[in-house]
């Protein structure tokens, strides 16, 4: 197949490019080379063209004969301040809208969209009697008193987590999450209006080789790994019991290949996850041990916007894409503890 891959120079996009090419697909690889992700004035890698997905003419030139667009280009991270909102809206949402319009002009009717588990906001919770609960965000007062688990409104007992399925309502809590929800909504509406197909891959916590070093926009894996590289103990917030699903970047690339090769009708969202939940404390301990670095510190500090648990149900991706992650968190994080990181040259806030 002939595939237009956006964000082809990024942490995830470069792995997607490799697996698509290895599988025999013809890849038209583009990337804007945003300074926030690549450092100032970085040239694109060989075989990748510098293209802004918000530029309709540049897209028209590259969409001829394309069977499917694999759209990885995005400004990432949770957002540091309100000043980041225009960058998320511009690159992620306007970019996706311009791309979808260009695809229709070119007669291209399939997109694989990089989405994120952040669209869910909080994960799913269950009371002791197994009934589901949708807790309100934790209050600063509760967090300051060290009550990190959500509590049942009636009994006051801590709530347990439950796997998040794709039909869970979206509740974006950050600027980035809002932009990912909007991307999904534009893509879903486009699929309906033009009788086209979009597979949205909701990545859980991605890690692996060539992950960008820590910046104020980084997720926890990059922060822990960068701390260890600097000989500093990873700082674990809350009590370390927060549950997540860490999925290796090579599995994320494999999921993209599966989605490119297996058309699904209409708009379909799929969790892309390892299927083996792990606590943040266990991630820190594993990485520190494998790096032979200082043991993590459980700080009891907290970030008011953080969600307590988000654990994926990987069932739908297995059923519809035949995708099962090959790399569990233990071997994957052990490898990541020594893997190279990507220098981002003092990356600042994304510009728009
Ligand atoms: C993260 C990303 C999000 C991405 C998603 C899926 C950020 C800020 N968040 O969400 O954009 O879409 O994964 O890949 O990029 N923590 C520590 N110590 C630290 C930093 C964080 O213990 O130094 C804890 C946090 O309190 C939280 C957990 O680690 O409980 C995860 O944090 P983080 O990776 O930032 O956010 P996610 O909500 O998992």
């Amino acid at each position: 197949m002939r595939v237009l891959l956006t964000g082809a120079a990024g942490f995830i996009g470069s792995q997607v490019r490799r697996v698509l090419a290895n599988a025999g697909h013809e890849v038209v690889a583009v990337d804007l080379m945003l300074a926030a992700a690549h450092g100032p004035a970085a040239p694109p890698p060989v075989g990748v063209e510098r293209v802004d997905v918000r530029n309709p003419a540049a897209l028209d030139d590259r969409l001829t004969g394309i069977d499917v667009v694999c759209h990885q280009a995005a400004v990432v991270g949770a957002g540091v301040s309100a000043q980041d909102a225009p960058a998320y809206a511009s690159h992620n949402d306007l970019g996706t809208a311009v791309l979808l319009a260009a695809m229709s002009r070119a007669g291209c009717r399939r997109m694989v969209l990089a989405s994120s588990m952040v669209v869910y906001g909080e994960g799913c919770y269950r009371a002791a009697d197994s009934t589901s609960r949708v807790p309100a965000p934790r209050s600063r007062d509760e967090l300051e008193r060290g009550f990190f688990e959500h509590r049942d409104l009636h009994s006051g007992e801590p709530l347990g987590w439950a796997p998040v399925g794709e039909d869970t309502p979206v509740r974006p809590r950050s600027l980035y999450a809002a932009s990912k929800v909007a991307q999904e909504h534009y893509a879903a509406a486009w699929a309906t209006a033009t009788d086209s197909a979009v597979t949205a891959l909701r990545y859980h916590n991605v890690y692996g080789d060539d992950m960008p070093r820590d910046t104020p926009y980084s997720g926890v894996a990059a922060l822990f790994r960068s701390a260890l590289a600097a000989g500093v103990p990873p700082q674990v917030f809350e009590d370390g019991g927060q549950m997540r699903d860490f999925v290796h970047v090579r599995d994320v690339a494999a999921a993209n290949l599966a989605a490119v090769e297996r058309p699904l009708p209409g708009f379909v969202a799929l969790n892309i996850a390892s299927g083996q939940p792990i606590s943040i404390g266990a991630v820190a301990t594993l990485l520190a041990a494998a790096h032979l670095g200082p043991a993590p510190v459980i700080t009891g500090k907290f970030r008011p916007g953080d969600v307590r648990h988000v654990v994926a149900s990987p069932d739908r991706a297995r059923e519809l894409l035949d995708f099962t992650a090959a790399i569990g968190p233990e071997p994957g994080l052990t490898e990541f503890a020594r893997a190279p990181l990507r220098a981002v040259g003092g990356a600042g806030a994304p510009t728009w």
Side-chain angles (χ1 to χ4, degrees):
M1 264 184 284
R2 194 169 151 85
V3 183
L4 175 67
L5 173 65
T6 72
F11 162 52
I12 296 175
S14 50
Q15 297 277 349
V16 174
R17 183 179 172 216
R18 188 182 52 77
V19 299
L20 287 173
N22 287 348
H25 298 292
E26 188 188 341
V27 183
V28 177
V30 300
D31 199 298
L32 180 55
M33 303 303 294
L34 269 178
H38 300 277
V46 175
V48 177
E49 290 181 283
R50 188 190 296 272
V51 166
D52 189 335
V53 292
R54 298 165 301 175
N55 177 347
L59 293 176
D60 287 343
D61 286 349
R62 285 155 186 94
L63 275 163
T64 313
I66 293 290
D67 299 298
V68 50
V69 172
C70 188
H71 185 30
Q72 307 291 322
V75 170
V76 299
V80 170
S81 84
Q83 301 314 309
D84 292 330
Y88 288 112
S90 177
H91 291 286
N92 298 3
D93 303 330
L94 177 63
T96 301
V98 173
L99 179 54
L100 292 167
M103 288 171 68
S104 281
R105 283 194 297 280
C108 176
R109 294 172 59 199
R110 284 191 59 214
M111 174 183 273
V112 174
L113 173 66
S115 186
S116 170
M117 59 75 152
V118 290
V119 299
Y120 299 119
E122 269 296 355
C124 291
Y125 294 85
R126 214 175 257 154
D129 63 1
S130 290
T131 51
S132 62
R133 293 282 190 277
V134 182
R138 297 172 296 173
S139 69
R140 183 176 275 278
D141 179 57
E142 281 174 297
L143 293 165
E144 272 168 0
R145 287 190 291 142
F147 292 152
F148 298 124
E149 295 291 359
H150 286 286
R151 287 173 182 273
D152 189 272
L153 265 184
H154 306 293
S155 68
E157 291 298 311
L159 297 175
W161 57 267
V164 180
E166 290 84 350
D167 297 331
T168 304
V170 294
R171 293 189 191 88
R173 288 168 58 124
S174 68
L175 297 171
Y176 172 64
S179 78
K180 284 280 147 188
V181 170
Q183 277 188 310
E184 283 199 4
H185 286 174
Y186 276 109
W190 173 83
T192 305
T194 64
D195 194 21
S196 301
V198 176
T199 303
L201 303 179
R202 292 178 177 167
Y203 306 154
H204 283 250
N205 294 65
V206 186
Y207 69 96
D209 288 19
D210 206 26
M211 189 167 193
R213 273 177 195 282
D214 56 331
T215 76
Y217 295 84
S218 299
V220 70
L223 294 175
F224 286 172
R225 178 65 186 76
S226 302
L228 288 165
V232 175
Q235 303 289 302
V236 178
F237 297 152
E238 305 184 17
D239 56 1
Q242 309 92 295
M243 296 299 289
R244 294 288 190 280
D245 188 305
F246 283 78
V247 58
H248 197 281
V249 68
R250 289 199 297 274
D251 278 323
V252 172
N256 274 278
L257 175 64
V260 162
E261 291 187 339
R262 189 179 287 216
L264 300 173
F267 176 88
V268 181
L270 299 171
N271 286 328
I272 300 302
S274 75
Q276 298 178 48
I278 185 169
S279 72
I280 296 298
V283 169
T285 303
L286 247 165
L287 285 175
H291 191 85
L292 304 178
V297 176
I298 312 279
T299 64
K301 293 182 185 161
F302 61 87
R303 299 187 303 198
D306 273 341
V307 300
R308 178 65 179 170
H309 306 298
V310 190
V311 171
S313 165
D315 296 349
R316 192 176 284 177
R318 187 171 51 236
E319 280 160 31
L320 298 185
L321 280 190
D322 203 16
F323 167 75
T324 305
I327 307 169
E330 202 160 327
L333 289 165
T334 302
E335 180 197 297
F336 177 59
R338 291 262 157 213
L341 296 176
R342 176 189 291 231
V344 282
T351 53
W352 53 290

